[in-house]
């Protein structure tokens, strides 16, 4: 929805953001903010939990298997890193415009957080979209009761139970071969029925084999690190990742560092006198030319992600000519709320 923020000068004079700008008492002005870009660095990783089977000591004797899980273990594995940008109002870059002849502050449209989005534009339903960050998703297996028969439970010793479970595995395998060869008394009626029977045999065999070799469950997770660029940096540590603990703090040396390098190029403009440190004239509307930044994320000596993004707060504020607003008809101007740049001007 088109929104304007009208604030009395007496309130503005008390604001730290507006202290460098002089306005007359009781003068109504519109205050808006340039956007600020934030990087959302998303880590994708797996949490692998290994659990030994109750018969792992008998895996080689009865199944001839040597690669088994012998103790409970949790391993964290970083699978990928991606970056996105999102923006908000930059409270350190506030601007104000007063009503003057030929210029109507009522036509200025702001986002909900005060970013300039247009002049003389049609009403909109909401402010600009913010880049989304994926949420945590998890997949894990469900534990089931031990898939043994009564005769195996009453065997008396663990060794006897393991022997009975192994015999059950071999019976299932033999039954599967007989089904596929058609050497059974009652053959499934059709292909679908055959498939269901085979799947059930496979599931039961896997459950029994897990009693010997153990289980390996994988949870897929994400974690997002927020970083607000202020200057060019080379391999700054934005986080750490440990194979034993997962995502840890930047100062936790148990994890390997995740490096961010950012190389921004400011726009080349002739209006060098228009800088962020200079208070804008009340009769002017300022837009923003963002810097273009090359961003590289590295982990364990590998380049995990690279991209080029506009960084609003590292750009330059440029005034629009006041003559643009004083013609017979008011122009229609759309600003990009993510970067502060001009999207279109229609006179």
């Amino acid at each position: 929805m088109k929104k304007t923020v009208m604030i009395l000068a007496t309130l503005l004079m008390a604001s730290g953001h507006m202290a460098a700008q002089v306005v007359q008492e009781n003068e109504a002005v519109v205050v808006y903010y340039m956007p600020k870009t934030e990087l959302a660095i998303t880590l994708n990783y797996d949490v692998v939990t290994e659990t030994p089977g109750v018969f792992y000591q008998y895996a080689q004797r009865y199944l001839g298997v040597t690669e088994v899980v012998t103790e409970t273990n949790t391993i964290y594995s970083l699978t990928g890193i991606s970056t996105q940008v999102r923006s908000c109002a930059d409270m350190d870059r506030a601007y104000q415009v007063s009503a003057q002849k030929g210029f109507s502050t009522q036509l200025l449209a702001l986002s909900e957080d005060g970013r300039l989005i247009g002049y003389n534009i049609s009403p909109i339903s909401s402010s600009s979209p913010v880049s989304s960050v994926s949420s945590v998703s998890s997949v894990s297996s469900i534990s089931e009761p031990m898939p043994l028969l009564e005769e195996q439970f009453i065997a008396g010793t663990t060794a006897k139970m393991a022997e009975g479970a192994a015999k059950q595995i071999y019976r299932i395998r033999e039954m599967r071969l007989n089904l596929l060869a058609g050497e059974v008394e009652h053959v499934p009626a059709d292909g679908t029925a055959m498939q269901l029977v085979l799947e059930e045999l496979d599931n039961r065999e896997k459950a029994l084999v897990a009693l010997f070799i153990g289980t390996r469950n994988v949870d897929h997770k994400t974690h997002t690190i927020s970083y607000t660029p202020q200057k060019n940096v080379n391999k700054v540590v934005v986080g750490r990742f440990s194979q034993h603990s997962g995502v840890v703090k930047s100062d936790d040396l148990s994890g390997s560092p995740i490096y961010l390098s950012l190389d921004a190029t400011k726009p080349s403009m002739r209006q060098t006198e228009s800088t962020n440190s200079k208070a804008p004239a009340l009769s002017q509307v300022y837009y923003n030319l963002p810097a273009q930044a090359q961003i590289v994320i590295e982990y364990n000596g590998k380049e995990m992600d690279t991209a080029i993004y506009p960084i609003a707060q590292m750009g330059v504020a440029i005034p629009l000519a006041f003559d643009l607003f004083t013609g017979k008809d008011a122009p229609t101007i759309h600003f990009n709320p993510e970067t502060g740049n001009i999207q279109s001007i229609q006179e």
Side-chain angles (χ1 to χ4, degrees):
M1 159 185 312
K2 180 185 294 186
K3 303 173 72 174
T4 57
V5 181
M6 305 300 294
I7 304 178
L8 293 179
T10 52
L11 295 177
L12 289 170
M13 294 175 67
S15 170
H17 300 305
M18 302 280 81
Q21 303 181 29
V22 179
V23 295
Q24 300 299 320
E25 186 177 358
N26 295 325
E27 181 182 9
V29 298
V30 170
V31 177
Y32 65 92
Y33 302 94
M34 289 297 184
K36 179 168 61 177
T37 303
E38 182 182 72
L39 298 179
I41 305 167
T42 301
L43 311 182
N44 299 292
Y45 63 99
D46 291 342
V47 182
V48 182
T49 304
E50 297 178 335
T51 306
V54 293
F55 302 144
Y56 75 91
Q57 294 175 308
Y58 305 95
Q60 185 174 7
R61 179 192 302 181
Y62 293 123
L63 299 184
V65 178
T66 56
E67 294 184 3
V68 300
V69 178
T70 59
E71 60 183 11
T72 301
N73 192 25
T74 301
I75 303 172
Y76 295 81
S77 175
L78 187 64
T79 59
I81 300 178
S82 62
T83 56
Q84 294 177 304
V85 290
R86 52 195 181 192
S87 67
C88 60
D90 189 347
M91 298 303 174
D92 292 326
R93 300 176 71 196
Y95 295 83
Q96 62 186 33
V97 184
S98 63
Q100 297 188 33
K101 184 178 180 181
F103 178 85
S104 175
T105 55
Q106 296 287 343
L107 295 179
L108 288 172
L110 308 183
S111 67
E112 292 182 359
D113 60 357
R115 286 173 283 171
L116 186 61
I117 58 178
Y119 181 79
N120 190 33
I121 65 175
S122 300
I124 57 175
S125 58
S126 63
S127 60
S128 62
V130 176
S131 301
S132 61
V133 177
S134 56
S135 60
V136 174
S137 61
S138 176
V139 178
S140 61
S141 65
I142 302 175
S143 59
E144 296 180 353
M146 194 178 299
L148 299 179
L149 301 177
E150 181 181 1
E151 61 187 74
Q152 289 141 18
F153 276 113
I154 63 176
T157 64
T158 303
K160 286 293 185 180
M161 291 176 65
E163 181 181 0
K167 288 180 179 179
Q168 191 175 346
I169 291 172
Y170 290 122
R171 284 198 295 268
I172 290 173
R173 293 175 178 175
E174 183 179 1
M175 185 181 302
R176 183 190 297 108
L177 289 175
N178 291 336
L179 275 172
L180 293 173
E183 298 177 355
V184 292
E185 183 175 350
H186 300 288
V187 180
D190 52 33
T192 301
M194 172 69 81
Q195 184 66 29
L196 291 174
V197 172
L198 291 175
E199 288 179 359
E200 179 61 28
L201 292 175
D202 288 343
N203 292 336
R204 187 158 187 81
E205 180 183 350
K206 289 177 182 178
L208 288 165
V209 169
L211 298 177
F212 292 89
I213 68 172
T215 59
R216 188 174 185 270
N217 296 332
V218 181
D219 289 345
H220 306 293
K221 294 183 176 294
T222 64
H223 178 85
T224 299
I225 300 171
S226 296
Y227 181 82
T228 302
Q230 299 295 342
K231 60 182 180 179
N232 287 348
V233 294
N234 182 38
K235 289 190 174 182
V236 62
V237 178
V238 293
R240 291 179 180 269
F241 189 86
S242 166
Q243 291 185 339
H244 305 289
S245 306
V247 182
V248 296
K249 295 181 178 180
S250 298
D251 58 355
D252 188 340
L253 300 184
S254 68
S256 299
I258 299 169
Y259 294 113
L260 179 144
S261 297
L262 185 146
D263 185 13
T265 302
K266 284 185 175 292
S268 176
M269 294 299 299
R270 293 182 179 179
Q271 299 102 317
T272 54
E273 69 276 8
S274 300
T275 63
N276 296 339
S277 60
K278 181 180 179 181
L282 294 180
S283 61
Q284 292 177 319
V285 174
Y286 277 64
Y287 66 96
N288 188 60
L289 284 183
Q292 296 295 320
Q294 174 77 39
I295 296 168
V296 178
I297 307 292
E298 297 177 80
Y299 174 72
N300 276 351
K302 296 181 180 179
E303 188 175 291
M304 303 295 291
D305 188 40
T306 180
I308 296 177
Y309 291 118
I311 306 298
Q313 62 270 28
M314 297 179 71
V316 178
I318 305 297
L320 279 170
F322 188 66
D323 293 344
L324 179 66
F325 303 94
T326 57
K328 182 178 180 181
D329 298 318
T332 297
I333 307 175
H334 288 85
F335 299 94
N336 186 334
E338 302 291 320
T339 63
N341 207 346
I342 296 175
Q343 289 183 321
S344 65
I345 299 179
Q346 295 178 346
E347 296 187 22

